[in-house]
Amino acid sequence: MPSAVPPLPPGYPPFQPRLPWLGPDLQTLRNTLRRPRHALPVGEVLVFPMLDGTGDSLAGTLHRPAAPAAARPLVVLIHGLAGSEDSPYIRAAAGAVLARGHAVLRLNLRGAGPFVGRTRQRYHAGRTQDARAVLAHLAATLPDLTAAGVVVVGYSLAGNMVPKLMGEVDVLPPMVRGGVAVSAPIDLSATSRRFLKARNRPYHLWLLRQMKAETLATPAEPGTAEAERQAAVRRARTIYDFDDGYVAPANGWRDAEEYYRVNSALQFLPAITRPTLVIHALDDPWIAPEPYLAFDWAAHPALVPLIVTKGGHVGFHAAAEGRGAILGGGWLDRCLVRFLETLA
């Protein structure tokens, strides 16, 4: 079984952490500590109705490049747990791809961003049907932007969603030319167990607090199943409790372990046939390295593993890029741009 770090793909830059952001935790926390804004041009607010009987919608912001380039796919950026379209890594990536002539959509997951507290259902790590609904809406309403195809980019929790989407080949829209997953918890059960380690307690408590706030922002009618699930949210002391008491029953799974088993991206990787870049740091404090090291990347040519030893969780703040590039998440976004170039 493979256990070595896959070689760097051709044309992708090596990663070297930038002082003083050394170690997995400083890499992970840098955007929180520095709070970069990443200014973007004014975009167009889009609303995507979900045609599943819930009455829910997703929201996003579309940016068109000042100098559009021919045959450049639309890039759809999707945030992670407790994030939104305004998460620093989303804004940084949007600026990078806009500068290279791509239109870009910063998409909020269900119940996130402007729709916190305004949806009946919420996002989870495997909710790929929402992504497909957004893509169908884009194809129907913005054919000029989707004519050259779409590349879907997911970070953290959405990083799990993207390989799952790419691996669901029977329902994957033809317009999807490629996918990118960054710091993805491809084994959800292993990630949940890792979060319970004492060294991750500050992260764990912060994320759990954000998850509870998002979920409880939508009041439940007394006596309903949702009210019972929200009571479980209030009682939850761990993310596992949250997944077991809320996410699993709200979506028809028996318990957290069934939710993890059904939705972990790892099982979908072998089915992927369209180019998919997988970016991950083995020192990620949230995600165990073993699933990445055990997978046989060489046996699946559509997958492009960009697995480095350092970088933290959605960190990758690199050396020798200059201040402006660092504030823009330079290395990570250069790798995204490089992947887009390979699709030309």
Side-chain angles (χ1 to χ4, degrees), residues 255-276:
D255 52 23
E257 289 301 331
E258 184 177 19
Y259 160 51
Y260 298 154
R261 185 177 68 254
V262 169
N263 293 286
S264 290
L266 187 61
Q267 66 191 305
F268 293 90
L269 293 177
I272 294 175
T273 58
R274 301 183 206 176
T276 302

Side-chain angles (χ1 to χ4, degrees), residues 9 33 39 77 100 153 163 167 177 197 200 232 258 266 303 332 337:
L33 296 173
L77 304 172
R100 285 149 181 90
V153 185
R177 292 180 58 185
K197 293 183 178 294
N200 282 327
E258 184 177 19
L266 187 61
L303 300 176
L332 188 56
V337 168

Side-chain angles (χ1 to χ4, degrees), residues 40 63-67 69 72-77 90-106 151 153 155 332-338 340:
L40 293 170
H63 300 274
R64 298 173 185 262
R72 298 285 172 91
L74 169 69
V75 178
V76 178
L77 304 172
I90 296 289
R91 295 183 67 91
V97 298
L98 272 171
R100 285 149 181 90
H102 294 267
V104 60
L105 172 67
R106 296 184 289 127
V151 174
V153 185
Y155 299 79
L332 188 56
D333 297 328
R334 282 197 291 147
C335 293
L336 171 57
V337 168
R338 167 60 183 164
L340 295 172

